[in-house]
Amino acid sequence: DDKRAIRALPEPERSRRMGNLLHYLACCRMFRGWVCVSCWHRSDHESVSMWNQYAGGRSGVAVQTTLGVLKEAFNEADDSVFMGTIKYVDFTKFSMPPAKKINAGQPFLHKRECFKSEKEMRAFVVNPAYSGSKGMLIQVDLKRLVKRVVLSPGSPVGRQSQVQKLLSRHGLTEMQVHPSELDDSPAY
């Protein structure tokens, strides 16, 4: 899509933007295997679209925290954990900095504008040693990280106790599991 929009531009703008896009994509491909990402939705309220997109029905669980707590929770990690808010861009108008100014994580803080409703921020690790891995475990302090646990809208009866038992097994015995605010009757 981005390449088609750029091809419609007049020269020399077309060549400049195509070069920027190809450079950006090359960086993404090179760094992709080195990055492990944890994605978070930044909002004070639940999102129907996020529940539908990522929980796919009535089986999801959301973990709520704050940005400050998220940063603190990664203090125990062996690797440096970087964080940033996603910048949603129109890649036909977006220019990446020159190669010498790009860090390995920068391409992973940009997404197409059509994803703007996700209000995403990311915590990520960049390490060439992870190339080819399907993910990694990062040491975090769960008691510090998890501030609230919320069930997806319309969760079946019994789900709350199942999640409560799971939390207890991981040392979060004091943590309460809450139903979705979307299950509340509207005030009107």
Side-chain angles (χ1 to χ4, degrees):
D1 294 338
D2 297 326
K3 288 181 184 177
R4 264 184 287 192
I6 291 172
R7 285 187 189 118
L9 295 170
E11 284 294 344
E13 185 66 11
R14 176 176 55 220
S15 293
R16 186 183 70 76
R17 289 200 185 159
M18 186 61 82
N20 286 340
L21 178 62
L22 294 175
H23 170 72
Y24 177 81
L25 294 174
C27 288
C28 288
R29 279 190 295 278
M30 182 173 73
F31 297 140
R32 183 178 292 145
W34 302 357
V35 178
C36 292
V37 179
S38 176
C39 303
W40 295 79
H41 174 70
R42 287 186 76 172
S43 179
D44 292 331
H45 302 282
E46 294 178 53
S47 164
V48 172
S49 63
M50 294 299 288
W51 279 120
N52 289 338
Q53 187 172 351
Y54 292 100
R58 300 176 177 190
S59 60
V61 175
V63 173
Q64 291 182 336
T65 193
T66 66
L67 182 57
V69 169
L70 183 62
K71 288 178 182 179
E72 289 174 11
F74 288 114
N75 285 343
E76 307 299 319
D78 293 333
D79 290 289
S80 294
V81 178
F82 302 97
M83 292 188 201
T85 300
I86 295 298
K87 182 176 181 180
Y88 299 94
V89 298
D90 176 349
F91 283 104
T92 63
K93 299 174 182 164
F94 177 71
S95 294
M96 283 297 289
K100 62 186 175 193
K101 293 185 179 180
I102 293 180
N103 66 51
Q106 191 171 20
F108 301 98
L109 291 174
H110 295 87
K111 285 177 97 168
R112 289 181 290 177
E113 284 187 6
C114 62
F115 293 103
K116 203 174 211 170
S117 67
E118 292 180 351
K119 300 178 184 176
E120 184 178 343
M121 70 92 38
R122 291 181 175 174
F124 58 95
V125 173
V126 181
N127 188 330
Y130 301 133
S131 185
S133 71
K134 298 283 186 196
M136 60 178 286
L137 295 175
I138 295 180
Q139 186 69 36
V140 297
D141 183 346
L142 287 177
K143 289 180 181 177
R144 188 183 304 173
L145 176 66
V146 181
K147 293 298 174 199
R148 192 163 193 256
V149 175
V150 180
L151 298 174
S152 60
S155 288
V157 175
R159 179 68 49 151
Q160 190 168 357
S161 64
Q162 290 173 335
V163 174
Q164 197 71 58
K165 287 176 187 172
L166 181 65
L167 292 171
S168 294
R169 269 190 294 212
H170 292 279
L172 299 172
T173 54
E174 304 297 317
M175 183 63 54
Q176 295 297 310
V177 178
H178 301 272
S180 170
E181 65 187 35
L182 299 173
D183 287 338
D184 295 344
S185 295
Y188 50 90

